[in-house]
Every structure is written in C-alpha cells, then in structure tokens.
Amino acid sequence: MRTSVWLVRHGQTRFNLEQRYQGLGDSPLTGYGRLQVEALAARLRPVPFGVALVSPTERTRLAAEAILAGRAGVEARLDAQWAEAHQGRWEGLTYREVLARFPDEARARWADGLDGRPQGGESLAEVHARVSAAWRRLLEEHRGGRVLVVTHATPIQLVLCACFGLSPAAHWHWRIDLGSITAIDVYASGPIVRMVNEVPRIARGS
C-alpha cells in the first residue's frame, strides 16, 4: 500500500514578482501567475485525488479551486499547518527594505539559524514543527490515498528534508519554483520521490 502525495506551490503573485517577503499575507496573482495556475490544473487533471489540503491564503485557494474544478466528491480542507512561514513585520518588504529598517534584527535572524525570526513572525524551527505534525497527520489519516496539498515553498522543502533525514536547516538546497509540482509515494518501507519541482509548460497562445 502506498500513499501518493502531490505537493503544489501556488502561482506567481505581485509580491513574488517584486521579491517581497510573503508569508501569511497575500497579494494578487499576476497575469503570469494565473497562467501558471491554468497549467497546473491541466497537468493534474488526470490525477484522481481523494482529498485536498490547502493552505488558507488566497493564492493557494485559487490554485486549489482551479485544480479541483469539475471534480465530484473531492473534499478540500483549509489547513493552517501548511501555511508559509509567518514573516511578522517583514511582510510585504523587500530584503533591502528590511536591512534599511531593521538591520540589527536582520543580522540576528540569520545568525540564530533555526531559531532566528523577524519580530512577530516564526522561526524555521517553529515552521518545521508544524509542517512535520501536518505531514504525520496526513500519512495517518489518508493512508493508501492520493492527496493533493496546495501550499508554499518552505513546507515542501521541509517535507523533502524529512523524507531523507536531513536537517531543516538544509531546506534551501531544494529548489521549489512557483507553479511547481513535487510528488512523493510513501510506502511502509519509506518514501519514493516521483518528481521534484516539475513546472508544467504554459500552453502556447495562453
């Protein structure tokens, strides 16, 4: 018996395009982001999901709605444990703006590794703890199923680290692009990666 998990990162938003920190906050999808969502929906149309777990942001909900459109009997559940790292007062700022406004806080965050955080935000250790709990619950509650998870880069990176016994500090080694798919089949003997960071091609003329 295997549990097949398909992890999807949302399409490009304006904050993504402008290279601004974006965690629990939201910004509108760009035109390219909407095309990415359409490409994800087309790529995943043949996959018969039984359930969808969705981070509760607009950008992830829009991706989930497109992927699940026209499917009968697929339950979609908003799950805050699959949210992106909360960026606190850095939300909506560029890295240069953070350095200009909060230089001491920025230096302290990167120096503290797993435990560094922006004021009002989450550390990587905290994000790792909640994503690990979400991953364990998914495998317990949906054993033998085919599960869609619509989420963000950091949770997908942390799941991959967990599958291979890597420290969460190594998460940045996994490239997870906007509008990408990562699929993992989990057996009793361990996980087998089907794909990492597959970005569906946008149809010509879209």
Side-chain angles (χ1 to χ4, degrees):
M1 179 184 293
R2 74 178 183 193
T3 305
S4 185
V5 185
W6 296 68
L7 299 127
V8 170
R9 187 181 180 194
H10 59 85
Q12 184 191 69
T13 69
R14 183 160 300 281
F15 277 6
N16 293 141
L17 182 63
E18 296 173 356
Q19 297 185 322
R20 296 181 181 278
Y21 284 97
Q22 184 176 231
L24 302 189
D26 254 318
S27 66
L29 290 181
T30 63
Y32 185 70
R34 290 191 290 273
L35 292 177
Q36 287 180 310
V37 168
E38 291 174 7
L40 285 168
R43 168 65 177 85
L44 294 172
R45 193 164 291 126
V47 184
F49 297 112
V51 65
L53 306 177
V54 185
S55 167
T57 60
E58 182 182 33
R59 58 193 185 273
T60 44
R61 292 199 305 270
L62 289 172
E65 288 169 5
I67 294 166
L68 298 177
R71 298 175 187 246
V74 182
E75 181 183 5
R77 303 179 190 172
L78 295 182
D79 189 339
Q81 285 191 302
W82 288 103
E84 182 56 282
H86 183 17
Q87 299 298 334
R89 64 178 178 176
W90 295 16
E91 290 273 351
L93 301 179
T94 65
Y95 181 61
R96 286 190 176 186
E97 288 170 340
V98 167
L99 287 180
R101 297 185 195 187
F102 316 117
D104 294 338
E105 183 177 306
R107 284 191 290 269
R109 180 181 188 182
W110 307 128
D112 288 344
L114 289 176
D115 296 314
R117 79 187 73 202
Q119 183 175 307
E122 287 181 292
S123 68
L124 184 60
E126 289 170 325
V127 181
H128 176 249
R130 67 170 166 80
V131 171
S132 295
W135 180 244
R136 289 193 299 269
R137 191 174 74 248
L138 182 160
L139 296 178
E140 290 168 2
E141 295 181 357
H142 305 290
R143 187 172 301 167
R146 188 174 280 103
V147 184
L148 171 68
V149 180
V150 186
T151 181
H152 311 268
T154 306
I156 297 171
Q157 292 167 324
L158 292 173
V159 165
L160 288 166
C161 286
C163 285
F164 293 97
L166 300 175
S167 164
H171 75 290
W172 61 272
H173 288 287
W174 300 100
R175 180 180 175 117
I176 302 297
D177 288 315
L178 293 159
S180 67
I181 302 166
T182 295
I184 305 169
D185 291 336
V186 182
Y187 295 84
S189 55
I192 295 177
V193 175
R194 182 190 294 264
M195 66 185 72
V196 174
N197 198 41
E198 179 189 301
V199 179
R201 183 173 299 178
I202 291 173
R204 187 172 299 177
S206 295

